[in-house]
Amino acid sequence: MAKEIKKGKQDIARLPKTLTGIPGLDDITGGGLPTGRPTLICGEAGCGKTLLAIQFIVKGALNYDEPGVFVAFEEKADELAMNVASLGFDLDQLQKDKLLKLDYVHIDRTEIEETGEYDLEGLFIRIGYAIDSIGAKRVVLDTIENLFGGLSNQSILRAELRRLFQWLKTKGVTAVITGERGDGNSLTRQGLEEYVSDCVILLDHRVINQISTRRLRIIKYRGSIHGTNEYPFMIDEDGISVLPVTALKLNKEASAERISSGIPALDKMLGDKGFYKGNSILVSGTAGTGKTSVAASFANHACSEKKRCLYFAFEESPKQIVRNMRSISLNLQQWVDKGLLQFHASRPTLYGLEQHLVSMHKMIKEFKPDVVIFDPITNLISVGSVSDVKSMLTRLIDFLLDEQITVMFTALSLNTVINEQTDEGVSSLVDTWVMVRYIEYNGERNRGVYIMKSRGMQHSNQVREFVISDRGIDLVDVYLGPNGVLIGSAREAQMLQELTDRVLHKNTVNMKDRELDRKRKMLESKIASLRTEFETTEEELNRINIEEELVKKVTDENRVELVKRRKGEQ
Amino acid sequence: MKELTAAPSYNDDLEDDRYRLRLYVTGATPNSARAIVNLKDFCETHLKDNYELEIIDVYQQPLIAQADQVIAIPMLIKLSPMPLRRLIGDMSDKDKIFRGLSLTAG
């Protein structure tokens, strides 16, 4: 990124940027904070300003070879080091390696007496010395507004701060200044935004319905385009990560590779091969229809092909799922032990939707699965409105598509009538929609499975009966007879009936065959006797003809003899 | 630029009421120059022979600035007698100096 920017700068004078190393933030800002200029980060207490700042410094030192100076006005150096140690940042080591310089600026009004004109040259010298001693490229002034608490002469302070920010620019360091959010409309209590006008980032920490969500917004960024939305971010054991917001462009790769659903009969319904790799699959159904079993079969099959699978469970604990799936002969534990399958179970109410999304992102990035399962997404609705959930899922699907990860969602549909729309309204987003529902007939309930849609493949339009047994999941063709669709024991009964019918029918057919045979034989004997009769007649006729000819011959001979004799006597 | 008006002794056996002062300045900027003049004048008038004044140029010794939490310049630190006090400014406000050094005027 840095190289690209440098290259760009040669072509046209583009604003050079400094990567923050904070996942996602560099995407939103289009390459980081403005290089050599101060950036203001403001927000209420506890919104993560200091963390963002320290991450900027530490990442710069570790990843981009840019040493940094951290001037703390709030926390003492050792306190700060301790606070960020939990994030795996070893500030002491960085200081020893001359990659970081911590300076704690303490100011206490009670021990200060102002006796006339003064300036803040002391602060300048300290910062300047710190920058020069390690060749710092980055500087953080963590809550410089604390100076206003320690010194009373506002006009001097303001003039000096203005000078300080100008001076930082001339020093060529990329500075981050944090400021606490003020009352009313002002971004900071002392109006720092007036002095730092190149880039202003606002952090926000809101609690809606008892669920907190952290958000980040770039209020301004001179000379650069930037994302203007509020972006959720989260703070976890690795520090801050802002959700990388893909622009929802539909220019994704499409793989022709197929991936089996783990249920041979279901694959058969899906053009004999199963799902497309990188597609999204929705399995919806009413309670207890076996959605989790479908998902587990899919996971099991993926793992058996040495694919990695990440399973997000929002209802059951991993142990429960493993135990329950044993009842249908799916041994998921072996994949967990081999590290191919990873469960992540959390209550949806653990944190806000966006936070969920960010944490999912993170885990997916870390685990690099081939298959991801969300079981079920319906529960997420308890922490957000329908439109929130939909927008979240859109982004999630988008992201997974980008990574070419096959994803399976399960969703609980609350109404038993076939609903063309799931509660989450994601049916239009997914590529394949498998629906499992109860079919109540003849005093029993049976599961039927349909393929509601499946993009880009020939798929069955048949309803199949979905049978969960201790051998696993199988699909059987439902009986479509003159009496309608038969399932369950009715289907079994019908099948038995058919078998009986077939035997009887066979019997009947055999009898008819024999009769035909007999008739043929009779006819054949008739034909034989007729033929014999004909031969007799023919012979008779022949005999008469021969006799006639003989008679004629003899007569002729006699006549000639007679003529001869008459002539001789004369 | 280090200017010592009295012996730079840091011995513990100094009398308790002896004033040990340290003034941080930045070269010869107007504020600093004024502060030096004002403070010397003040000390000669009110603390005659009962004080040590150390003047430190922060430009020369930036590390000391960090150790002593120097932010505003000029700054005077009263090291003894206790309690430690900091006075900032060009030392033109004599009343404030009196208060800062816990002295009574006159």
Side-chain angles (χ1 to χ4, degrees), chain A residues 422-467:
Chain A
T422 53
D423 295 319
E424 296 69 40
V426 288
S427 55
S428 63
L429 299 172
V430 298
D431 298 300
T432 301
W433 183 8
V434 179
M435 189 157 186
V436 192
R437 69 178 272 246
Y438 275 125
I439 303 169
E440 205 170 318
Y441 178 76
N442 199 17
E444 60 182 52
R445 281 197 307 174
N446 290 292
R447 301 176 178 98
V449 62
Y450 319 64
I451 310 279
M452 298 290 278
K453 76 176 209 189
S454 193
R455 287 181 182 144
M457 63 177 85
Q458 206 79 47
H459 59 90
S460 166
N461 65 345
Q462 301 287 304
V463 182
R464 297 290 156 94
E465 191 179 342
F466 183 74
V467 182

Short mmCIF file of all heavy atoms in Angstrom, two decimals, chain A residues 422-467:
data_model
loop_
_atom_site.label_atom_id
_atom_site.label_comp_id
_atom_site.label_asym_id
_atom_site.label_seq_id
_atom_site.Cartn_x
_atom_site.Cartn_y
_atom_site.Cartn_z
N THR A 422 -38.10 -15.75 4.40
CA THR A 422 -37.70 -16.08 5.76
C THR A 422 -37.77 -14.81 6.59
O THR A 422 -37.85 -13.72 6.07
CB THR A 422 -36.26 -16.60 5.81
OG1 THR A 422 -35.45 -15.64 5.16
CG2 THR A 422 -36.13 -17.93 5.16
N ASP A 423 -37.72 -15.00 7.88
CA ASP A 423 -37.83 -13.85 8.76
C ASP A 423 -36.70 -12.86 8.54
O ASP A 423 -36.83 -11.67 8.72
CB ASP A 423 -37.81 -14.31 10.22
CG ASP A 423 -39.04 -15.14 10.51
OD1 ASP A 423 -40.11 -14.76 10.03
OD2 ASP A 423 -38.91 -16.16 11.18
N GLU A 424 -35.58 -13.39 8.16
CA GLU A 424 -34.43 -12.52 8.00
C GLU A 424 -34.38 -11.91 6.61
O GLU A 424 -33.57 -11.05 6.33
CB GLU A 424 -33.14 -13.28 8.25
CG GLU A 424 -33.00 -13.80 9.66
CD GLU A 424 -34.00 -14.91 9.95
OE1 GLU A 424 -34.23 -15.74 9.06
OE2 GLU A 424 -34.57 -14.91 11.04
N GLY A 425 -35.25 -12.40 5.75
CA GLY A 425 -35.26 -11.86 4.40
C GLY A 425 -33.98 -12.12 3.66
O GLY A 425 -33.60 -11.37 2.77
N VAL A 426 -33.29 -13.18 4.02
CA VAL A 426 -32.02 -13.44 3.35
C VAL A 426 -32.19 -14.37 2.17
O VAL A 426 -31.24 -14.64 1.46
CB VAL A 426 -30.97 -14.05 4.30
CG1 VAL A 426 -30.48 -13.02 5.26
CG2 VAL A 426 -31.50 -15.26 4.99
N SER A 427 -33.41 -14.84 1.96
CA SER A 427 -33.58 -15.85 0.92
C SER A 427 -33.14 -15.33 -0.44
O SER A 427 -32.67 -16.09 -1.27
CB SER A 427 -35.03 -16.29 0.86
OG SER A 427 -35.85 -15.18 0.69
N SER A 428 -33.26 -14.02 -0.64
CA SER A 428 -32.84 -13.50 -1.94
C SER A 428 -31.33 -13.39 -2.03
O SER A 428 -30.77 -13.29 -3.10
CB SER A 428 -33.48 -12.14 -2.18
OG SER A 428 -33.02 -11.24 -1.21
N LEU A 429 -30.68 -13.42 -0.89
CA LEU A 429 -29.23 -13.26 -0.89
C LEU A 429 -28.53 -14.59 -1.11
O LEU A 429 -27.45 -14.63 -1.66
CB LEU A 429 -28.76 -12.69 0.46
CG LEU A 429 -29.29 -11.33 0.84
CD1 LEU A 429 -28.90 -11.02 2.26
CD2 LEU A 429 -28.73 -10.28 -0.09
N VAL A 430 -29.16 -15.66 -0.64
CA VAL A 430 -28.45 -16.93 -0.68
C VAL A 430 -28.57 -17.56 -2.07
O VAL A 430 -29.44 -17.21 -2.85
CB VAL A 430 -28.99 -17.92 0.38
CG1 VAL A 430 -28.78 -17.37 1.76
CG2 VAL A 430 -30.44 -18.24 0.14
N ASP A 431 -27.65 -18.45 -2.35
CA ASP A 431 -27.63 -19.10 -3.64
C ASP A 431 -28.48 -20.36 -3.65
O ASP A 431 -29.08 -20.70 -4.65
CB ASP A 431 -26.19 -19.45 -4.02
CG ASP A 431 -25.34 -18.22 -4.13
OD1 ASP A 431 -25.67 -17.37 -4.97
OD2 ASP A 431 -24.38 -18.08 -3.36
N THR A 432 -28.45 -21.05 -2.54
CA THR A 432 -29.23 -22.29 -2.47
C THR A 432 -30.09 -22.24 -1.22
O THR A 432 -29.60 -21.87 -0.15
CB THR A 432 -28.29 -23.51 -2.40
OG1 THR A 432 -27.48 -23.50 -3.57
CG2 THR A 432 -29.07 -24.80 -2.35
N TRP A 433 -31.33 -22.56 -1.39
CA TRP A 433 -32.24 -22.52 -0.25
C TRP A 433 -32.89 -23.89 -0.11
O TRP A 433 -33.66 -24.31 -0.96
CB TRP A 433 -33.27 -21.42 -0.45
CG TRP A 433 -34.21 -21.25 0.71
CD1 TRP A 433 -34.14 -21.86 1.92
CD2 TRP A 433 -35.37 -20.42 0.76
NE1 TRP A 433 -35.17 -21.45 2.72
CE2 TRP A 433 -35.93 -20.57 2.03
CE3 TRP A 433 -35.96 -19.55 -0.16
CZ2 TRP A 433 -37.09 -19.89 2.41
CZ3 TRP A 433 -37.11 -18.87 0.21
CH2 TRP A 433 -37.66 -19.05 1.50
N VAL A 434 -32.53 -24.57 0.94
CA VAL A 434 -33.10 -25.87 1.22
C VAL A 434 -34.11 -25.67 2.35
O VAL A 434 -33.80 -25.03 3.34
CB VAL A 434 -32.01 -26.87 1.69
CG1 VAL A 434 -32.63 -28.22 2.01
CG2 VAL A 434 -30.95 -27.01 0.62
N MET A 435 -35.29 -26.19 2.15
CA MET A 435 -36.30 -26.00 3.17
C MET A 435 -36.72 -27.36 3.75
O MET A 435 -37.01 -28.29 3.01
CB MET A 435 -37.51 -25.31 2.58
CG MET A 435 -38.48 -24.89 3.62
SD MET A 435 -39.48 -23.57 2.98
CE MET A 435 -40.39 -23.16 4.43
N VAL A 436 -36.68 -27.42 5.04
CA VAL A 436 -37.12 -28.64 5.71
C VAL A 436 -38.40 -28.27 6.46
O VAL A 436 -38.42 -27.30 7.20
CB VAL A 436 -36.08 -29.13 6.73
CG1 VAL A 436 -36.41 -30.54 7.18
CG2 VAL A 436 -34.70 -29.07 6.17
N ARG A 437 -39.46 -29.03 6.24
CA ARG A 437 -40.67 -28.70 6.99
C ARG A 437 -41.44 -29.96 7.33
O ARG A 437 -41.28 -31.01 6.70
CB ARG A 437 -41.55 -27.72 6.23
CG ARG A 437 -42.21 -28.25 5.00
CD ARG A 437 -43.08 -27.17 4.41
NE ARG A 437 -44.40 -27.21 4.99
CZ ARG A 437 -45.49 -27.51 4.29
NH1 ARG A 437 -45.40 -27.78 3.01
NH2 ARG A 437 -46.67 -27.50 4.84
N TYR A 438 -42.26 -29.80 8.33
CA TYR A 438 -43.09 -30.92 8.75
C TYR A 438 -44.28 -31.05 7.83
O TYR A 438 -44.90 -30.06 7.45
CB TYR A 438 -43.60 -30.70 10.17
CG TYR A 438 -42.61 -31.15 11.20
CD1 TYR A 438 -42.18 -30.28 12.19
CD2 TYR A 438 -42.13 -32.45 11.20
CE1 TYR A 438 -41.28 -30.68 13.14
CE2 TYR A 438 -41.22 -32.86 12.14
CZ TYR A 438 -40.81 -31.99 13.11
OH TYR A 438 -39.92 -32.40 14.04
N ILE A 439 -44.57 -32.26 7.46
CA ILE A 439 -45.79 -32.50 6.71
C ILE A 439 -46.67 -33.35 7.61
O ILE A 439 -46.29 -34.47 7.98
CB ILE A 439 -45.49 -33.22 5.39
CG1 ILE A 439 -44.50 -32.40 4.56
CG2 ILE A 439 -46.78 -33.47 4.62
CD1 ILE A 439 -43.94 -33.13 3.37
N GLU A 440 -47.78 -32.81 7.97
CA GLU A 440 -48.65 -33.51 8.90
C GLU A 440 -49.69 -34.27 8.08
O GLU A 440 -50.38 -33.70 7.25
CB GLU A 440 -49.33 -32.51 9.82
CG GLU A 440 -49.73 -33.11 11.13
CD GLU A 440 -50.17 -32.05 12.10
OE1 GLU A 440 -49.54 -30.99 12.17
OE2 GLU A 440 -51.18 -32.29 12.77
N TYR A 441 -49.76 -35.57 8.27
CA TYR A 441 -50.67 -36.37 7.47
C TYR A 441 -50.96 -37.65 8.20
O TYR A 441 -50.05 -38.29 8.74
CB TYR A 441 -50.03 -36.67 6.10
CG TYR A 441 -50.87 -37.53 5.20
CD1 TYR A 441 -51.98 -36.99 4.55
CD2 TYR A 441 -50.57 -38.88 5.02
CE1 TYR A 441 -52.77 -37.78 3.75
CE2 TYR A 441 -51.35 -39.66 4.21
CZ TYR A 441 -52.46 -39.11 3.57
OH TYR A 441 -53.24 -39.89 2.77
N ASN A 442 -52.18 -38.02 8.19
CA ASN A 442 -52.54 -39.32 8.70
C ASN A 442 -52.12 -39.51 10.15
O ASN A 442 -51.60 -40.55 10.54
CB ASN A 442 -51.89 -40.39 7.81
CG ASN A 442 -52.57 -41.73 7.97
OD1 ASN A 442 -53.70 -41.79 8.49
ND2 ASN A 442 -51.91 -42.78 7.55
N GLY A 443 -52.27 -38.44 10.92
CA GLY A 443 -52.00 -38.55 12.34
C GLY A 443 -50.54 -38.62 12.71
O GLY A 443 -50.18 -39.06 13.78
N GLU A 444 -49.70 -38.24 11.81
CA GLU A 444 -48.28 -38.22 12.19
C GLU A 444 -47.58 -37.08 11.45
O GLU A 444 -48.08 -36.57 10.45
CB GLU A 444 -47.60 -39.55 11.89
CG GLU A 444 -47.64 -39.93 10.45
CD GLU A 444 -46.98 -41.29 10.22
OE1 GLU A 444 -47.35 -42.26 10.92
OE2 GLU A 444 -46.11 -41.36 9.36
N ARG A 445 -46.43 -36.70 12.03
CA ARG A 445 -45.68 -35.63 11.38
C ARG A 445 -44.43 -36.21 10.77
O ARG A 445 -43.71 -36.98 11.40
CB ARG A 445 -45.30 -34.57 12.40
CG ARG A 445 -46.44 -33.64 12.72
CD ARG A 445 -45.96 -32.40 13.37
NE ARG A 445 -45.10 -32.71 14.53
CZ ARG A 445 -44.46 -31.81 15.20
NH1 ARG A 445 -44.52 -30.55 14.84
NH2 ARG A 445 -43.72 -32.14 16.23
N ASN A 446 -44.15 -35.84 9.58
CA ASN A 446 -42.94 -36.30 8.93
C ASN A 446 -42.24 -35.11 8.30
O ASN A 446 -42.85 -34.08 8.03
CB ASN A 446 -43.28 -37.34 7.88
CG ASN A 446 -43.75 -38.62 8.52
OD1 ASN A 446 -43.00 -39.32 9.17
ND2 ASN A 446 -45.06 -38.86 8.38
N ARG A 447 -40.96 -35.30 8.09
CA ARG A 447 -40.19 -34.19 7.56
C ARG A 447 -40.12 -34.29 6.05
O ARG A 447 -39.86 -35.36 5.50
CB ARG A 447 -38.77 -34.22 8.12
CG ARG A 447 -38.70 -34.13 9.61
CD ARG A 447 -37.28 -34.26 10.07
NE ARG A 447 -37.19 -34.14 11.52
CZ ARG A 447 -37.13 -35.17 12.34
NH1 ARG A 447 -37.19 -36.39 11.86
NH2 ARG A 447 -37.04 -34.97 13.63
N GLY A 448 -40.34 -33.18 5.43
CA GLY A 448 -40.21 -33.13 3.98
C GLY A 448 -39.13 -32.12 3.62
O GLY A 448 -38.99 -31.11 4.30
N VAL A 449 -38.36 -32.39 2.60
CA VAL A 449 -37.33 -31.44 2.22
C VAL A 449 -37.54 -31.03 0.77
O VAL A 449 -37.90 -31.82 -0.08
CB VAL A 449 -35.91 -32.02 2.49
CG1 VAL A 449 -35.64 -33.25 1.66
CG2 VAL A 449 -34.84 -30.99 2.26
N TYR A 450 -37.36 -29.74 0.55
CA TYR A 450 -37.51 -29.18 -0.79
C TYR A 450 -36.27 -28.37 -1.11
O TYR A 450 -35.64 -27.85 -0.22
CB TYR A 450 -38.63 -28.13 -0.91
CG TYR A 450 -39.92 -28.37 -0.21
CD1 TYR A 450 -39.99 -28.44 1.17
CD2 TYR A 450 -41.10 -28.43 -0.96
CE1 TYR A 450 -41.22 -28.62 1.79
CE2 TYR A 450 -42.31 -28.61 -0.33
CZ TYR A 450 -42.36 -28.71 1.03
OH TYR A 450 -43.57 -28.88 1.64
N ILE A 451 -36.00 -28.24 -2.35
CA ILE A 451 -35.02 -27.24 -2.77
C ILE A 451 -35.84 -26.07 -3.27
O ILE A 451 -36.48 -26.17 -4.32
CB ILE A 451 -34.12 -27.76 -3.91
CG1 ILE A 451 -33.54 -29.12 -3.57
CG2 ILE A 451 -33.04 -26.74 -4.24
CD1 ILE A 451 -32.37 -29.15 -2.69
N MET A 452 -35.85 -24.99 -2.52
CA MET A 452 -36.64 -23.84 -2.94
C MET A 452 -35.98 -23.15 -4.11
O MET A 452 -36.62 -22.65 -5.02
CB MET A 452 -36.79 -22.85 -1.80
CG MET A 452 -37.51 -23.41 -0.60
SD MET A 452 -39.25 -23.68 -0.91
CE MET A 452 -39.87 -22.03 -0.66
N LYS A 453 -34.66 -23.06 -4.00
CA LYS A 453 -33.94 -22.52 -5.15
C LYS A 453 -32.51 -22.99 -5.08
O LYS A 453 -32.00 -23.34 -4.01
CB LYS A 453 -34.01 -20.99 -5.15
CG LYS A 453 -33.11 -20.30 -4.14
CD LYS A 453 -33.23 -18.82 -4.34
CE LYS A 453 -32.00 -18.04 -3.98
NZ LYS A 453 -32.21 -16.62 -3.99
N SER A 454 -31.88 -22.99 -6.21
CA SER A 454 -30.46 -23.30 -6.25
C SER A 454 -29.93 -22.73 -7.55
O SER A 454 -30.22 -23.22 -8.62
CB SER A 454 -30.24 -24.80 -6.18
OG SER A 454 -28.88 -25.03 -5.93
N ARG A 455 -29.18 -21.65 -7.38
CA ARG A 455 -28.74 -20.93 -8.57
C ARG A 455 -27.72 -21.73 -9.36
O ARG A 455 -26.83 -22.33 -8.80
CB ARG A 455 -28.09 -19.60 -8.16
CG ARG A 455 -29.11 -18.59 -7.71
CD ARG A 455 -28.45 -17.30 -7.33
NE ARG A 455 -29.43 -16.36 -6.84
CZ ARG A 455 -29.20 -15.50 -5.87
NH1 ARG A 455 -28.02 -15.46 -5.30
NH2 ARG A 455 -30.13 -14.68 -5.48
N GLY A 456 -27.90 -21.70 -10.63
CA GLY A 456 -26.88 -22.23 -11.53
C GLY A 456 -26.75 -23.73 -11.56
O GLY A 456 -25.68 -24.24 -11.88
N MET A 457 -27.78 -24.45 -11.19
CA MET A 457 -27.68 -25.90 -11.33
C MET A 457 -29.08 -26.48 -11.53
O MET A 457 -30.07 -25.89 -11.12
CB MET A 457 -27.00 -26.52 -10.12
CG MET A 457 -27.73 -26.33 -8.81
SD MET A 457 -26.90 -27.15 -7.47
CE MET A 457 -25.70 -25.93 -6.99
N GLN A 458 -29.07 -27.64 -12.18
CA GLN A 458 -30.33 -28.35 -12.37
C GLN A 458 -30.69 -28.95 -11.02
O GLN A 458 -29.94 -29.75 -10.49
CB GLN A 458 -30.07 -29.47 -13.39
CG GLN A 458 -31.29 -29.88 -14.14
CD GLN A 458 -31.61 -28.89 -15.24
OE1 GLN A 458 -30.72 -28.51 -15.98
NE2 GLN A 458 -32.85 -28.47 -15.35
N HIS A 459 -31.79 -28.55 -10.47
CA HIS A 459 -32.11 -29.14 -9.18
C HIS A 459 -33.53 -29.71 -9.19
O HIS A 459 -34.38 -29.32 -9.97
CB HIS A 459 -31.93 -28.13 -8.05
CG HIS A 459 -32.79 -26.92 -8.19
ND1 HIS A 459 -34.04 -26.84 -7.68
CD2 HIS A 459 -32.55 -25.74 -8.81
CE1 HIS A 459 -34.55 -25.67 -7.97
NE2 HIS A 459 -33.68 -24.98 -8.65
N SER A 460 -33.70 -30.66 -8.33
CA SER A 460 -34.95 -31.39 -8.29
C SER A 460 -36.09 -30.51 -7.81
O SER A 460 -35.91 -29.67 -6.93
CB SER A 460 -34.77 -32.58 -7.36
OG SER A 460 -36.00 -33.14 -7.04
N ASN A 461 -37.24 -30.71 -8.38
CA ASN A 461 -38.41 -29.97 -7.89
C ASN A 461 -39.26 -30.84 -6.99
O ASN A 461 -40.37 -30.50 -6.63
CB ASN A 461 -39.25 -29.46 -9.07
CG ASN A 461 -39.85 -30.59 -9.87
OD1 ASN A 461 -39.44 -31.74 -9.72
ND2 ASN A 461 -40.82 -30.27 -10.71
N GLN A 462 -38.73 -32.02 -6.65
CA GLN A 462 -39.50 -32.98 -5.89
C GLN A 462 -39.42 -32.72 -4.39
O GLN A 462 -38.45 -32.19 -3.89
CB GLN A 462 -38.94 -34.39 -6.14
CG GLN A 462 -38.96 -34.80 -7.59
CD GLN A 462 -40.36 -35.11 -8.06
OE1 GLN A 462 -41.03 -35.95 -7.49
NE2 GLN A 462 -40.81 -34.42 -9.09
N VAL A 463 -40.46 -33.10 -3.73
CA VAL A 463 -40.44 -33.10 -2.28
C VAL A 463 -39.87 -34.46 -1.89
O VAL A 463 -40.30 -35.47 -2.40
CB VAL A 463 -41.86 -32.98 -1.70
CG1 VAL A 463 -41.80 -32.92 -0.18
CG2 VAL A 463 -42.55 -31.78 -2.26
N ARG A 464 -38.89 -34.44 -1.03
CA ARG A 464 -38.34 -35.71 -0.57
C ARG A 464 -38.65 -35.84 0.91
O ARG A 464 -38.70 -34.84 1.63
CB ARG A 464 -36.82 -35.77 -0.75
CG ARG A 464 -36.36 -35.68 -2.18
CD ARG A 464 -36.70 -36.93 -2.95
NE ARG A 464 -36.77 -36.63 -4.37
CZ ARG A 464 -35.75 -36.79 -5.20
NH1 ARG A 464 -34.62 -37.27 -4.77
NH2 ARG A 464 -35.87 -36.47 -6.46
N GLU A 465 -38.82 -37.05 1.31
CA GLU A 465 -38.99 -37.24 2.74
C GLU A 465 -37.63 -37.34 3.38
O GLU A 465 -36.71 -37.99 2.86
CB GLU A 465 -39.80 -38.51 3.03
CG GLU A 465 -40.20 -38.54 4.49
CD GLU A 465 -41.03 -39.75 4.83
OE1 GLU A 465 -41.57 -40.38 3.93
OE2 GLU A 465 -41.10 -40.05 6.03
N PHE A 466 -37.54 -36.68 4.48
CA PHE A 466 -36.27 -36.49 5.15
C PHE A 466 -36.28 -37.39 6.37
O PHE A 466 -37.09 -37.22 7.26
CB PHE A 466 -36.24 -35.01 5.52
CG PHE A 466 -35.01 -34.53 6.17
CD1 PHE A 466 -33.86 -34.35 5.43
CD2 PHE A 466 -35.01 -34.20 7.51
CE1 PHE A 466 -32.73 -33.85 6.03
CE2 PHE A 466 -33.89 -33.71 8.11
CZ PHE A 466 -32.75 -33.54 7.36
N VAL A 467 -35.43 -38.40 6.33
CA VAL A 467 -35.48 -39.39 7.40
C VAL A 467 -34.20 -39.30 8.23
O VAL A 467 -33.10 -39.43 7.70
CB VAL A 467 -35.62 -40.82 6.82
CG1 VAL A 467 -35.72 -41.83 7.95
CG2 VAL A 467 -36.86 -40.89 5.95
#
